[in-house]
Structure formats: structure tokens, C-alpha cells
Amino acid sequence: SSDLTIYRVIIRMGLRGSLKSNPARYKKICYDEHYEAYLDGVVKAGCLYTMYFFPTSITDEEADQEAQWIIMNLGGKALDMPFYLDSENVYGKNGEQGRANGLSVEQRTRLLKRITDRLGEAGIPCGIYASTSWLINKIDMSQLQEQVVDNTWVAQYNTKCTYDGRYVMWQHSSKGNVDGIKGNVDVSVITGDFNMSC
């Protein structure tokens, strides 16, 4: 019927630890602690899904490591949507700054491009997730591949999205309700067609 809701789920696959106050994770690439359970639940529920990674590389070598980790750990999974990189600052207690917070626009763009280039070369369609202000002020989107720009996922908790660049998903609320999940859920709307070419 026309009122049938099809849920698509985006799971955090992993991250590089960004805070010195968490020495067990600092600088290390690791799985999200809930990744396996969430993936199992999504597969059992028959939902369409993809994943994202939170990069905090500050050198080309670290960006290459992050890309390689993603490629190896995806293991050829056929995703229903592009794979995403979540680009934003990290803050700890007492104002602690994440290790990649101070990157310049040029540095951040170069590192994200390095990762997305390698994912594309491996046949993994991908995009960037970030807030409207971040996409405008912290990344030079003109330097990224067309496919990556096409797949932009913008976060703006508002009644409308004011980002005037290209995007395919808009995360509009952190207070959504989804059957079977307790508590609030981040919710997005798909505004166009994903670019699944590489």
C-alpha cells in the first residue's frame, strides 16, 4: 500500500579513536562496540542498510589505513546505499579537542578525498555525512569526485534544509520514533537517487 514505510538503516561500522582521555581507543581503528549486534538485527529484520565510518586521520598514511580497514572489513558486502564517512569535530570532557579538530579545510578535504578515492577504486560507492555549516565551511566539496558529491548526506535539524549544494539525504531530526527501537532515533529522508557508480 502507499502508506507502507520502508526503513533503510545506516550503522556505524567503526572509527579511529580521537580523544587522549580514552587511551584504549586513541589513534586506533576499531569497530563500533554495537556493530555486530546492530548488523545482525538489521539483517534479521530484512531492512535495506549501509554503514558509515568516523575518520580522524591527520596524515595521508592514516587516511590510507582507514580506507584499507573499511575495504577489508566490508569484505565484499553488497550495500543498499553508499558507504558514508562522518566528518565532524569530537569533544571530550573538560573541553578536550579531538585529534582531527584543528585540520584546515585543505587538509580535511585532501584526507577525505584520499579515503573516498580508494573506496571508489575498490568498487565501493561512497559519500560524506556532515552538517550544513560543516559542508559549507569545513570541506571544499568541489575537490571531491562527482559520485561522492552526488551522495552527500546533510544533517540539519529543521523544518527545511537550507544547504544549497547537491545532496541525496537530509537528516532532519534526532527525535524520530521507529517501531522496535526504544528511545529517539536520528531520522533522514532520501531526496533523490543514490549514485552507486564508481
Side-chain angles (χ1 to χ4, degrees), residues 8-162:
R8 295 176 181 245
V9 181
I10 304 177
I11 303 165
R12 184 167 77 167
M13 180 184 190
L15 66 151
R16 184 190 290 272
S18 187
L19 298 171
K20 288 182 179 177
S21 59
N22 186 352
R25 280 193 170 186
Y26 185 59
K27 296 186 183 180
K28 296 180 178 73
I29 302 175
C30 52
Y31 280 110
D32 182 281
E33 60 266 28
H34 303 295
Y35 167 70
E36 288 187 5
Y38 289 165
L39 180 59
D40 186 56
V42 164
V43 170
K44 283 181 179 172
C47 295
L48 301 175
Y49 72 93
T50 191
M51 301 169 200
Y52 74 93
F53 181 87
F54 197 112
T56 64
S57 47
I58 58 174
T59 66
D60 289 355
E61 181 184 15
E62 287 185 348
D64 291 346
Q65 289 169 354
E66 291 175 351
Q68 193 56 36
W69 187 90
I70 293 165
I71 293 163
M72 283 178 47
N73 288 289
L74 272 179
K77 283 186 182 73
L79 301 174
D80 298 300
M81 295 174 281
F83 187 94
Y84 281 93
L85 299 176
D86 178 353
S87 186
E88 58 186 288
N89 282 333
V90 178
Y91 299 100
K93 294 175 182 173
N94 303 317
E96 181 187 4
Q97 296 277 329
R99 68 192 303 268
N101 286 17
L103 292 173
S104 68
V105 172
E106 184 279 326
Q107 290 169 320
R108 183 176 297 106
T109 303
R110 188 185 77 246
L111 296 169
L112 289 171
K113 184 175 189 316
R114 202 165 174 99
I115 299 170
T116 56
D117 280 350
R118 276 149 187 73
L119 295 183
E121 289 162 7
I124 301 166
C126 54
I128 304 294
Y129 164 87
S131 69
T132 293
S133 62
W134 191 270
L135 290 167
I136 294 168
N137 300 308
K138 300 290 189 177
I139 306 173
D140 181 356
M141 295 297 286
S142 73
Q143 298 301 307
L144 301 178
Q145 311 93 314
E146 290 296 305
Q147 172 243 37
V148 174
V149 175
D150 286 344
N151 289 328
T152 299
W153 176 20
V154 59
Q156 185 175 4
Y157 298 159
N158 202 337
T159 53
K160 69 175 186 174
C161 181
T162 61

